[in-house]
Amino acid sequence: MQTKGHSRNFIYTDWILIETQFDPDQLHSKETVFTIGNGYLGTKGSFEEGYPHALPATFIHGVYDDVPVVYTELANCPDWLPLVVIVNGDRFRLDQGEILRYDRQLDLRYGLLSRYLRWRSPSGNTIDIHFERFASFADQHVLAQRCHLTPVDFDGLIEVQGGINGYPENQGFNHWEGLDQGKTDQGIWLQRRTRHSRIEIGMGATMKILGTEASLQVSTAPGYPTLTTTYLAKSKQTVTVEKIVTLFTSRDTETPVSAATEKLAHLPDYATLLKANEQAWDEAWQQSDILIEGDSTAAFAVRYNLFQLLIAGSRHDDKVSIPAKTLSGFGYRGHIFWDTEIFMLPFFLFTQPAIARNLLSYRWHTLPGARRKAAHYGYKGAMFAWESADTGDEVTPRWGLNSDFYGEDVRIWCRDREIHINADIPYAAWNYWQTTGDDEWMQQCGAEIILDAAIFWGSRVEFNSERQQYEIRGVIGVDEYHEFVHNNAFTNRMAQWHLQRAIAVYDWLAHKFPERATELEQKLKLTPQERSHWQDIIAKILFLHDPLTEQIEQFEGFFQLEDINLADYQGRDHSMQAILSIEKTNKCQVIKQPDILMLLYLMRESADFPYNQKALQANWDYYAPRTDITYGSSLGPAVHAILASDLGKSAEAYEVFMQALMVDLEDNRGNTSDGIHGATAGGVWQAVIFGFGGIQLTENGPVANFHLPDGWTRLKFKLHWRGKWHDFDLRKGQVTSLRSEFKIQNSKFKINDPYK
Ligand code: IFM
């Protein structure tokens, strides 16, 4: 295998991540890094044999259950990984005996995780063990493991136990009650149910031994059915154990156990499953891959981030979305934020539009929760949850609990005040429509999202009669270091933009789908008065922009706050909020993540808010030095990379890009153990395409005005735009942009130009 380079902890080839040493201190972060999945579930990279303090986890989209304080969380599902090897009485484990070789590899191309080990047992028997696993990308209900065992210097007894552990935990909390378990001709099955949401899971498992004569015994330890085989091993002779697991939940079918056991009974062998998995991955990468030449670290790490997005996006279920930590960790409890629509969605929109459609349909299905939230706060329409789960009701915890007995708990105000999400989701819905021309989705789902969320703004704004302007008071902007501000430019401008589009959608609907327009008018109580109220807000909403300097004030009074020179705090390894305190940070001009700069980026295609160089420069010069980019939010660096690149600050752009790119591979924020930073992964894609690739979306399609970082000699990718694929092959000194004529296979879209 030809390695391409290495970073602090890893070696990599074009497609394979390689870890050559096991470090127990990095157990949890590496469990995240080696996550595999298939868009239905994600499984952390915990070891088959277990390890003290390991936190194995499998999360399935939509399988939420109640929990104190944070309301609901993705339930860690029964663990399908256990594959225990006992060598002449010694149980194989990395903390005993001697590791003579260790090599863990994640093959991004096929979602295949393997481990090559040479282990000397405490009794002195040496064995080569090669584990392999994948979550089938071809059939989301199928999981597969294989283990090759080759004694190096002994003959003796080897026992292998392959089981399903029905006692998974979410940080000490077990969501599952046992219903039943049993055995079939093929193997074992397990049936469990979440305690509150009463979601049932049915799992089946079978095991096959190749290369020796051996029988299988079934052990039915309660909640932990296991298949065991024991055989007489011979030195230098390889025996292979294949374990296949199937699973369904009551979200998929009324009878998950029979679905799992039936599927198990009709599955082909491991090699055939592997081939189908490879084919499915080939198709995904054909659309989504990015090729970078001249920078092997970036080339590999970009693919790593895209891989993490591909395994998180649901391909068959439009009632789920991607949590902030994808399906790879306990962080944020599987809750869904604006991270999905603003950071992750563009990747899917331009390379896997069917997944983008599912992600947005989730917001449509959860409108009832958003309406309950609006009503609870005394507003009209739909008020999307800052943190959302299965129903769309607000699930941001009210309090952040202090681990210090005597410390104060922290009130989390985002649930009440971080309302820019109500324009972020419509922003994504509009972009989906513009990019795909999917009128069918827009009239059925998108219009309702955009219109009902617009009704919210109509009831949320306040008219200041002295100023003769509309205001939005008492919010948290994108920059969460300031917790109660008035007229945050991001929120006001996004609300205005949203209302402009709401009117356009309303008119389009009335013209093209009059029946649906009438239906929505009645359902949402949408009146001509409401429409003219929106127009009035659009015309009169307060926006703190100085047309002379082009500088925008982040919120009223920001420029009067105490100024802080972040350079004085060089060498720190904490956020400014941790250093200064929440109260003090609130009173200073220090920003957690790009807010005005984020706005400029999102508005870059908006004709009525020109993304001109002067505005960009003026606001960059003011806000970038005041942004806690390295220790604030992980969402920030990719956005700075795009803007710095647009400003021709190539070195700076690359530096922050690398912070985003390596956030999990290098664990550079120290919290990869909580799960993959999904928004950062999406931001990485945007930084490559819109930043370095300089993609602009014109009426004639995407065009590249690229500025590749030093060292990059080639950048190649494709984008799907209004029914056609556009190939970009950008090389220093020349540009090739091709429109390829093939359409997405099985596309359900009828492509129309919404402008026609
Ligand atoms: O949504 C983000 C927010 O912008 C910053 N804090 C973390 C959240 C989840 O990633």
Side-chain angles (χ1 to χ4, degrees):
M1 187 177 337
Q2 203 196 346
T3 60
K4 281 292 170 77
H6 57 89
S7 72
R8 192 156 48 98
N9 297 314
F10 296 111
I11 304 170
Y12 44 81
T13 69
D14 285 341
W15 287 96
I16 301 175
L17 176 65
I18 306 166
E19 178 195 54
T20 51
Q21 255 179 348
F22 170 59
D23 176 359
D25 291 340
Q26 296 183 23
L27 181 72
H28 293 145
S29 61
K30 293 295 172 66
E31 284 179 329
T32 297
V33 167
F34 286 100
T35 295
I36 58 166
N38 59 9
Y40 172 79
L41 57 70
T43 295
K44 297 191 73 143
S46 311
F47 298 135
E48 288 77 358
E49 70 279 8
Y51 195 84
H53 309 299
L55 294 173
T58 291
F59 298 106
I60 302 180
H61 272 308
V63 179
Y64 287 95
D65 193 35
D66 300 7
V67 66
V69 185
V70 295
Y71 307 104
T72 185
E73 66 183 358
L74 275 182
N76 185 8
C77 293
D79 184 16
W80 59 281
L81 296 180
L83 204 51
V84 170
V85 178
I86 299 167
V87 179
N88 264 338
D90 288 327
R91 183 181 167 139
F92 161 67
R93 40 191 289 180
L94 291 175
D95 59 338
Q96 285 177 13
E98 220 182 318
I99 308 171
L100 305 175
R101 176 187 173 194
Y102 175 94
D103 190 329
R104 177 158 53 164
Q105 302 189 0
L106 175 61
D107 182 346
L108 307 176
R109 188 157 197 147
Y110 301 124
L112 194 65
L113 181 61
S114 348
R115 204 157 35 118
Y116 301 84
L117 300 136
R118 176 163 285 191
W119 181 68
R120 187 177 298 134
S121 70
S123 322
N125 296 310
T126 305
I127 183 166
D128 285 339
I129 308 179
H130 170 202
F131 288 109
E132 190 177 88
R133 74 174 82 139
F134 63 94
S136 173
F137 217 57
D139 183 340
Q140 60 182 10
H141 300 285
V142 175
L143 309 165
Q145 284 170 295
R146 180 157 71 177
C147 176
H148 300 294
L149 298 158
T150 316
V152 174
D153 57 7
F154 71 96
D155 293 346
L157 274 189
I158 292 188
E159 181 178 326
V160 183
Q161 305 168 350
I164 306 174
N165 178 1
Y167 300 97
E169 282 186 359
N170 283 64
Q171 297 154 318
F173 195 91
N174 180 350
H175 282 285
W176 300 92
E177 57 190 16
L179 290 184
D180 207 353
Q181 65 186 71
K183 58 178 174 176
T184 63
D185 291 349
Q186 283 77 39
I188 48 174
W189 56 268
L190 177 73
Q191 183 187 27
R192 312 230 107 190
R193 185 169 61 195
T194 54
R195 292 181 195 284
H196 301 278
S197 55
R198 304 187 88 68
I199 298 174
E200 205 180 297
I201 192 167
M203 297 173 75
T206 183
M207 214 160 81
K208 211 179 192 179
I209 325 298
L210 307 160
T212 189
E213 286 292 307
S215 59
L216 278 179
Q217 289 83 48
V218 178
S219 130
T220 47
Y224 205 140
T226 303
L227 293 161
T228 302
T229 185
T230 308
Y231 66 93
L232 192 58
K234 295 244 165 51
S235 179
K236 312 256 180 325
Q237 285 186 15
T238 300
V239 167
T240 300
V241 178
E242 295 174 352
K243 176 180 160 198
I244 313 287
V245 175
T246 52
L247 85 178
F248 285 83
T249 76
S250 50
R251 294 189 70 259
D252 312 309
T253 165
E254 278 179 11
T255 50
V257 169
S258 26
T261 49
E262 284 238 330
K263 182 167 276 292
L264 205 57
H266 297 104
L267 279 181
D269 62 2
Y270 184 96
T272 313
L273 291 174
L274 185 59
K275 201 160 198 75
N277 172 65
E278 289 174 356
Q279 263 165 14
W281 271 107
D282 272 341
E283 279 165 30
W285 282 118
Q286 210 215 341
Q287 294 179 191
S288 297
D289 187 30
I290 292 180
L291 175 82
I292 295 169
E293 285 179 3
D295 181 345
S296 57
T297 305
F300 172 78
V302 164
R303 282 185 172 141
Y304 178 81
N305 281 278
L306 304 189
F307 171 81
Q308 289 298 341
L309 291 172
L310 284 171
I311 63 173
S314 172
R315 286 172 298 148
H316 306 291
D317 188 346
D318 71 355
K319 293 202 172 103
V320 297
S321 182
I322 307 180
K325 299 288 183 187
T326 68
L327 294 176
S328 63
F330 298 97
Y332 292 123
R333 313 298 186 122
H335 294 178
I336 294 139
F337 296 66
W338 73 314
D339 302 33
T340 315
E341 282 78 11
I342 297 298
F343 289 84
M344 301 182 226
L345 189 116
F347 162 70
F348 295 107
L349 177 52
F350 287 99
T351 79
Q352 304 281 342
I355 296 180
R357 180 180 164 123
N358 285 345
L359 294 172
L360 288 165
S361 297
Y362 159 81
R363 294 295 189 176
W364 181 68
H365 287 296
T366 53
L367 272 171
R371 290 182 183 125
R372 285 191 289 273
K373 179 175 175 186
H376 168 78
Y377 282 92
Y379 301 117
K380 292 200 278 176
M383 181 181 186
F384 284 107
W386 176 245
E387 293 183 31
S388 182
D390 47 350
T391 64
D393 288 286
E394 182 59 72
V395 292
T396 308
R398 241 188 211 91
W399 294 94
L401 304 185
N402 202 316
S403 50
D404 173 357
F405 277 146
Y406 302 105
E408 294 291 319
D409 296 336
V410 178
R411 178 67 162 86
I412 300 175
W413 291 107
C414 304
R415 59 181 294 127
D416 316 274
R417 300 178 189 159
E418 198 156 354
I419 56 174
H420 63 80
I421 191 167
N422 235 57
D424 305 334
I425 293 168
Y427 177 90
W430 172 272
N431 284 341
Y432 170 78
W433 185 42
Q434 295 299 297
T435 307
T436 60
D438 186 355
D439 287 357
E440 195 266 322
W441 183 84
M442 183 44 102
Q443 64 91 15
Q444 183 54 40
C445 306
E448 191 168 352
I449 292 175
I450 291 174
L451 294 173
D452 216 14
I455 292 173
F456 164 79
W457 290 120
S459 68
R460 178 62 174 80
V461 297
E462 297 164 55
F463 189 67
N464 182 327
S465 46
E466 247 169 62
R467 283 173 145 166
Q468 286 293 302
Q469 282 190 301
Y470 285 96
E471 302 185 322
I472 305 179
R473 301 175 66 80
V475 302
I476 297 178
V478 174
D479 157 31
E480 295 170 338
Y481 280 174
H482 298 91
E483 293 195 316
F484 188 79
V485 304
H486 305 313
N487 295 311
N488 164 242
F490 184 96
T491 308
N492 287 21
R493 172 59 188 140
M494 287 293 283
Q496 182 192 44
W497 182 96
H498 171 192
L499 293 175
Q500 288 165 335
R501 268 67 196 173
I503 289 175
V505 166
Y506 193 3
D507 293 347
W508 169 81
L509 203 62
H511 178 64
K512 281 224 162 169
F513 298 92
E515 277 176 26
R516 179 66 177 147
T518 311
E519 196 185 344
L520 285 182
E521 275 164 1
Q522 284 164 3
K523 183 172 179 188
L524 310 181
K525 302 193 181 60
L526 200 51
T527 58
Q529 289 80 358
E530 186 73 42
R531 191 184 183 285
S532 44
H533 181 42
W534 293 351
Q535 267 166 334
D536 204 36
I537 300 168
I538 292 166
K540 296 186 193 144
I541 194 159
L542 188 73
F543 188 63
L544 301 160
H545 171 226
D546 179 344
L548 270 185
T549 62
E550 294 281 10
Q551 216 170 54
I552 303 166
E553 189 170 18
Q554 191 176 298
F555 53 79
E556 276 198 278
F558 182 83
F559 291 150
Q560 273 73 58
L561 297 179
E562 183 185 331
D563 213 357
I564 288 267
N565 183 2
L566 287 186
D568 294 345
Y569 294 83
Q570 249 168 18
R572 69 196 158 99
D573 54 8
H574 285 94
S575 73
M576 286 306 292
Q577 194 182 52
I579 291 170
L580 297 178
S581 82
I582 294 178
E583 293 72 26
K584 173 82 179 164
T585 317
N586 247 312
K587 294 181 188 142
C588 294
Q589 292 194 46
V590 55
I591 302 164
K592 179 177 176 183
Q593 66 200 87
D595 190 313
I596 293 300
L597 295 177
M598 185 76 202
L599 176 65
L600 285 168
Y601 170 53
L602 294 186
M603 290 290 134
R604 70 198 183 286
E605 305 282 351
S606 184
D608 47 356
F609 189 86
Y611 184 66
N612 65 56
Q613 205 68 7
K614 186 177 169 196
L616 186 55
Q617 188 72 57
N619 288 289
W620 174 272
D621 289 347
Y622 197 82
Y623 289 106
R626 290 171 175 79
T627 308
D628 193 1
I629 203 73
T630 307
Y631 299 104
S633 165
S634 62
L635 278 60
V639 178
H640 268 206
I642 298 169
L643 300 193
S645 180
D646 282 4
L647 285 166
K649 297 172 184 296
S650 202
E652 206 169 328
Y654 188 72
E655 192 188 324
V656 273
F657 171 70
M658 288 307 282
Q659 281 184 25
L661 187 65
M662 304 309 280
V663 69
D664 292 312
L665 282 171
E666 294 282 19
D667 193 9
N668 62 23
R669 286 177 183 256
N671 60 359
T672 292
S673 53
D674 292 342
I676 290 291
H677 293 78
T680 314
V684 161
W685 184 86
Q686 296 188 55
V688 173
I689 304 300
F690 297 123
F692 304 139
I695 288 294
Q696 286 167 346
L697 304 168
T698 72
E699 269 309 293
N700 299 321
V703 292
N705 176 18
F706 64 103
H707 11 77
L708 303 186
D710 277 355
W712 290 26
T713 51
R714 187 177 181 198
L715 172 62
K716 186 170 180 286
F717 56 89
K718 56 169 65 134
L719 301 176
H720 193 252
W721 169 259
R722 297 190 183 167
K724 296 251 161 57
W725 283 102
H726 295 256
D727 289 14
F728 290 88
D729 195 348
L730 314 176
R731 295 164 196 258
K732 280 242 159 91
Q734 70 178 97
V735 54
T736 321
S737 161
L738 303 167
R739 171 180 292 195
S740 58
E741 291 301 322
F742 78 92
K743 294 216 169 109
I744 289 191
Q745 278 172 0
N746 305 325
S747 168
K748 36 182 168 175
F749 311 137
K750 191 170 147 279
I751 305 296
N752 287 323
D753 184 341
Y755 291 114
K756 275 186 194 153

